[in-house]
Amino acid sequence: MNVSDLRGILAYIPQFREKVFVIAIDGAIVACENFSNLVLDLAVLRSVAIKVVLVHGIAHQLKQLAALLDTDLSDTTGIGVTDQKTFELSLMASSKVSFQILEALSSSDLKACITNAIVAHPFGIVGGIDYQLTGRVKKIDVSFIEHLLQKNIIPVISPIGYDGEGKSYRINSDAVAQSVAEALHAEKLIYLCPYPGILNEEGKLIRELDVAAAQEFHKNCSKNLPEVIHSKLEHAIHACKNGVNRVHVLDGRMDEALLSEIFSNRGIGTMIYANQYESIRQARKKDIGAILKLIQEPIEADEILPRKGSDIARDLPFYYVFERDNQIVGCMAIYPYPKTSQAELGCLSVAKNYENQGIGRKLMKFAEKISSEQGFKQLFLLSTRAYVYFMQKGGFKEADPSILPLERRIKYEKNGRKSKVLYKVLN
Ligand code: ARG
């Protein structure tokens, strides 16, 4: 870890202080070996004044109980039909999980309380099927949960809802967590499950999706997702659309999963977000220090032409920075040559620990977009060492130095770097 990582981590603390995080834990995670470590992470969150609300699932324990008693269940998820027997077993599974959570929290000196904050109605008869004791969330007792939070007590919410007239229902815990997060205007909803996050069709972890991209993914590519993940994706989209800024799907079996996701700006699981996460903007005077730091190594490696703070200050309107959660992690410059309708992409650099995350590609795309919006017909660049990268990832093609605008060509010949000239036609 270097100093700039530390700065990034610490920047999240004031951002998240006093905010509510709803953390939904699958029953399988409560049962796994890493659960005690997870509770250590919860203690860290509490120590920086993050308000934690826990919602838990029970599917894993429910299945175990059914196996133990050699009996069948009408449903394990709280989505299908819950018959009387399945409901009884759900209550048993739920008290077991709640107990395990309280026990683990106690060992970290965290005070917690099992609640009856979910007001539920029966799911009803849909499409001719009576869902019996399956319920849906009618209301959340927000003032009760807030009261506990004010007293530094962690509310523990199980997937059982109460109708206030002596009847209770089994509800899907992902849905409960979504409703709780929305009702509390939570800053975050975090699903901890036994998967690395949401994987794309090639089996690769999707790091982040804004809500629109998440919806698109849900519509077109989510057929093969495991049921557990599919459900998280759907509830994440709803939560984001209803005011929860960020929903995370994380692997609860992983040590320090919570901390790595919350306090690093890259994260370790999948984040679905409704607020700003990454942006490219024009550089400002106060960014010069950060830009100089970004280009120091590439300058030493002779990848970028040496330049000083005063050079950057002079050309500031041409510089852009890539920010992730307000931290500058990449930069570039776009120099205009209006006479020949050309623009030059220069000084593209991404911080070492942010390489291979597609940031360079996003910068190139952005450069193309705004150069073309500004009426330029061609984007060119000079590269001594990274030309393969620009050709493979950016689709640039090699050209003869004679394509350069005259004033640029004179400089090119004078500095003797013999860089390769690459170009891309803009539309
Ligand atoms: N630490 C930040 C947050 O908790 C960003 C996390 C980014 N995570 C990701 N999977 N891209 O909001």
Side-chain angles (χ1 to χ4, degrees):
M1 189 195 294
N2 63 33
V3 179
S4 65
D5 289 335
L6 207 48
R7 221 171 260 146
I9 293 168
L10 294 173
Y12 281 116
I13 293 178
Q15 194 178 324
F16 293 148
R17 258 188 100 74
E18 301 296 334
K19 298 277 164 59
V20 175
F21 287 15
V22 173
I23 302 181
I25 313 177
D26 277 0
I29 297 303
V30 178
C32 85
E33 230 177 279
N34 190 48
F35 184 58
S36 50
N37 292 326
L38 253 170
V39 171
L40 297 177
D41 287 6
L42 295 178
V44 174
L45 299 186
R46 288 295 306 121
S47 75
V48 296
I50 291 170
K51 296 175 174 167
V52 173
V53 177
L54 295 182
V55 175
H56 68 78
I58 54 169
H60 174 83
Q61 287 75 4
L62 191 52
K63 284 183 211 157
Q64 263 186 342
L65 264 178
L68 197 72
L69 301 173
D70 197 19
T71 183
D72 291 330
L73 296 166
S74 59
D75 169 68
T76 56
T77 58
I79 296 170
V81 175
T82 305
D83 62 16
Q84 185 64 36
K85 184 178 65 187
T86 302
F87 183 69
E88 302 280 336
L89 293 179
S90 301
L91 293 182
M92 287 165 76
S94 180
S95 27
K96 173 159 185 202
V97 179
S98 301
F99 162 76
Q100 284 175 319
I101 292 177
L102 290 190
E103 187 178 58
L105 293 174
S106 294
S107 59
S108 281
D109 286 332
L110 294 168
K111 290 195 196 310
C113 175
I114 299 174
T115 61
N116 56 352
I118 307 297
V119 182
H121 274 183
F123 189 74
I125 304 165
V126 179
I129 298 170
D130 184 351
Y131 283 75
Q132 303 178 42
L133 292 164
T134 298
R136 63 195 156 92
V137 179
K138 173 76 186 8
K139 217 178 86 193
I140 308 289
D141 189 343
V142 172
S143 61
F144 174 33
I145 300 177
E146 282 177 345
H147 180 75
L148 294 174
L149 290 173
Q150 266 164 20
K151 300 275 181 232
N152 291 323
I153 298 170
I154 299 180
V156 177
I157 300 175
S158 54
I160 307 289
Y162 309 86
D163 75 350
E165 301 192 355
K167 278 205 135 191
S168 320
Y169 299 93
R170 156 83 163 122
I171 313 177
N172 173 264
S173 64
D174 296 337
V176 171
Q178 179 210 322
S179 303
V180 172
E182 288 173 10
L184 294 174
H185 304 296
E187 177 72 17
K188 272 189 197 309
L189 165 58
I190 302 176
Y191 286 112
L192 292 167
C193 62
Y195 291 92
I198 302 178
L199 305 184
N200 67 14
E201 283 171 313
E202 284 101 54
K204 263 188 74 184
L205 176 70
I206 302 177
R207 293 248 159 214
E208 59 262 333
L209 291 168
D210 61 25
V211 206
Q215 273 179 293
E216 191 63 26
F217 180 78
H218 176 254
K219 202 168 94 205
N220 301 324
C221 327
S222 65
K223 283 186 298 296
N224 298 327
L225 290 179
E227 197 184 311
V228 171
I229 295 294
H230 199 268
S231 155
K232 305 270 178 301
L233 174 63
E234 283 183 352
H235 291 288
I237 293 171
H238 281 286
C240 275
K241 286 170 108 181
N242 292 318
V244 180
N245 279 334
R246 293 183 175 186
V247 182
H248 306 253
V249 183
L250 310 181
D251 193 338
R253 300 163 306 180
M254 221 178 113
D255 191 20
E256 294 193 356
L258 269 175
L259 299 185
S260 317
E261 179 71 13
I262 294 168
F263 295 110
S264 78
N265 69 19
R266 166 146 220 232
I268 49 116
T270 303
M271 174 173 81
I272 293 157
Y273 62 101
N275 64 352
Q276 179 138 305
Y277 174 52
E278 292 180 339
S279 69
I280 300 174
R281 61 162 175 83
Q282 234 168 354
R284 298 193 273 263
K285 215 162 153 196
K286 67 173 172 67
D287 304 327
I288 294 176
I291 297 175
L292 282 171
K293 217 168 108 198
L294 273 174
I295 60 178
Q296 184 183 341
E297 251 186 61
I299 289 178
E300 280 162 13
D302 198 24
E303 288 165 7
I304 286 185
L305 206 59
R307 62 198 84 197
K308 295 199 288 286
S310 54
D311 301 323
I312 299 173
R314 185 195 57 227
D315 292 341
L316 202 58
F318 308 140
Y319 278 83
Y320 291 84
V321 290
F322 186 104
E323 280 188 320
R324 195 178 263 175
D325 273 348
N326 300 320
Q327 210 190 339
I328 294 179
V329 297
C331 67
M332 69 175 167
I334 304 168
Y335 304 102
Y337 292 89
K339 269 189 244 154
T340 51
S341 294
Q342 287 167 294
E344 174 181 2
L345 170 60
C347 203
L348 187 135
S349 176
V350 174
K352 249 239 133 24
N353 21 359
Y354 292 86
E355 281 172 355
N356 303 319
Q357 297 175 25
I359 295 175
R361 226 180 300 185
K362 288 181 187 163
L363 282 165
M364 282 190 273
K365 264 232 156 81
F366 184 87
E368 281 175 41
K369 181 170 154 266
I370 77 151
S371 308
S372 121
E373 275 167 14
Q374 291 170 4
F376 295 106
K377 298 276 173 273
Q378 186 197 68
L379 188 63
F380 71 86
L381 63 88
L382 303 180
S383 174
T384 47
R385 310 194 61 183
Y387 48 86
V388 176
Y389 172 80
F390 287 111
M391 291 161 84
Q392 284 180 353
K393 308 281 181 191
F396 281 85
K397 293 201 171 56
E398 202 173 337
D400 189 82
S402 62
I403 70 151
L404 297 176
L406 185 61
E407 52 197 299
R408 189 61 182 96
R409 183 151 179 208
I410 294 170
K411 261 210 243 157
Y412 174 85
E413 269 154 20
K414 226 165 91 191
N415 73 25
R417 285 164 60 85
K418 302 218 160 42
S419 317
K420 276 198 194 298
V421 176
L422 304 181
Y423 80 101
K424 195 162 183 183
V425 177
L426 301 172
N427 18 351

